[in-house]
Amino acid sequence: MTGTKGGIKGGTVKAAGSWWKTGIALLLTAIMLFPVYWMLNNSLTRDEDMRRTPPSFFPAHPTLDGYRAVLDQQLPYLGTSLLVGLGTVLLTVVIAAPAGYALGLLRPRGSGALSFLLLAAQMIPGIIMAMGFYAIYLNLGVLNTLPGLILADSTLAVPFGVLIFTAFMAGIPRELLQASRVDGAGTFRTFWSIVLPISRNSVVTVSLFAFLWSWSDFIFASTLDGGGRYRPITLGIYHYIGNNNQQWNAIMAAAVVASIPTTLILIGAQRYIAAGATAGAVKD
């Protein structure tokens, strides 16, 4: 009887501790997500209600005028960001996947030094790289072009992608590679038919981060494509603020619309991210 009471008491204390932790987690989550909610709230608020004191936590007279303005003025910027993002993903995977295969499985001479250089490359400030690209692009005549912006954004994603692919592919059983060689497959055929399909989680992870970096890039966009015909959404919002500094609901609506693609991609790919990002963390 005493043991039963002790078990019930212990279970009650454990449940209370669990609820306490859950409450703290919900509170911290609400604090972190409050700016997102406030952005959505302001995007539905009329301009004349924007400066009310105290501010309203719910739009008293909801309006979609901000979203109409965004659809009229920001769609070209969204299209450019989508093209740049997809181009960056394609270029990153094409370069990083074979490099990760070479470093993780083929182990060429100097692979350790190359991995160190890739880590060091990620520490270079973006503004320094942007100024270097500006001087090169100016001489080549590729300023204010989509290929130039895609190439610049890829320099951020490729080192990360190579490290992710290397960590994952290094854990692929060597028996698979030996079996492919016995069947007559060469190095490229083994990579294309065996290694790359197995590395699906890593491909999704690298593609996602490459897309997010290019989608949110401002430094390269403002330096290399600031006055061009095709400008991404980050520059669209920046110039939109300058031209419409009184239409705060339109500015917030632009931010909401720009967040939708990345949010959907994150939700759809989250199960692949966990597997791809932790690849190579545990060795058998």
Side-chain angles (χ1 to χ4, degrees), residues 57 82 109 112 125 137 171 173-174 176 198 209 214 271 283:
F57 287 91
L82 183 60
R109 184 175 299 177
Y137 285 8
R174 296 299 191 275
L176 290 176
I198 294 176
F209 279 97
S214 64
R271 67 191 184 98
K283 297 292 185 181

Side-chain angles (χ1 to χ4, degrees), residues 106-279:
L106 303 182
R107 303 283 180 155
R109 184 175 299 177
S111 58
L114 182 56
S115 298
F116 175 78
L117 290 177
L118 291 172
L119 285 173
Q122 293 185 301
M123 303 177 187
I124 301 176
I127 187 62
I128 295 178
M129 297 178 63
M131 297 308 298
F133 273 117
Y134 182 85
I136 296 173
Y137 285 8
L138 185 62
N139 293 328
L140 296 178
V142 292
L143 278 177
N144 304 323
T145 62
L146 287 180
L149 192 55
I150 290 172
L151 178 61
D153 286 334
S154 298
T155 59
L156 297 175
V158 166
F160 171 82
V162 173
L163 294 175
I164 290 294
F165 279 122
T166 300
F168 185 89
M169 293 178 180
I172 295 177
R174 296 299 191 275
E175 291 78 8
L176 290 176
L177 306 181
Q178 294 172 1
S180 67
R181 294 191 183 98
V182 170
D183 291 338
T187 302
F188 178 78
R189 183 58 183 269
T190 301
F191 165 74
W192 181 259
S193 301
I194 297 178
V195 175
L196 196 59
I198 294 176
S199 306
R200 180 183 60 178
N201 292 336
S202 295
V203 171
V204 174
T205 302
V206 171
S207 299
L208 176 65
F209 279 97
F211 184 86
L212 292 178
W213 279 328
S214 64
W215 185 270
S216 60
D217 169 62
F218 180 79
I219 294 178
F220 285 147
S222 60
T223 305
L224 306 176
D225 204 15
R229 178 180 171 188
Y230 303 102
R231 287 177 287 184
I233 187 62
T234 49
L235 284 187
I237 296 176
Y238 176 72
H239 294 298
Y240 195 65
I241 293 175
N243 295 332
N244 304 275
N245 55 6
Q246 299 300 319
Q247 299 180 15
W248 286 104
N249 62 344
I251 296 172
M252 294 296 104
V256 171
V257 171
S259 303
I260 291 176
T262 54
T263 302
L264 295 178
I265 292 175
L266 281 171
I267 293 174
Q270 59 181 347
R271 67 191 184 98
Y272 297 102
I273 299 173
T278 58

Side-chain angles (χ1 to χ4, degrees), residues 9-30:
K9 184 177 180 181
T12 303
V13 172
K14 186 175 181 180
S18 177
W19 279 108
W20 178 78
K21 294 178 181 178
T22 302
I24 294 295
L26 291 175
L27 177 62
L28 294 176
T29 302

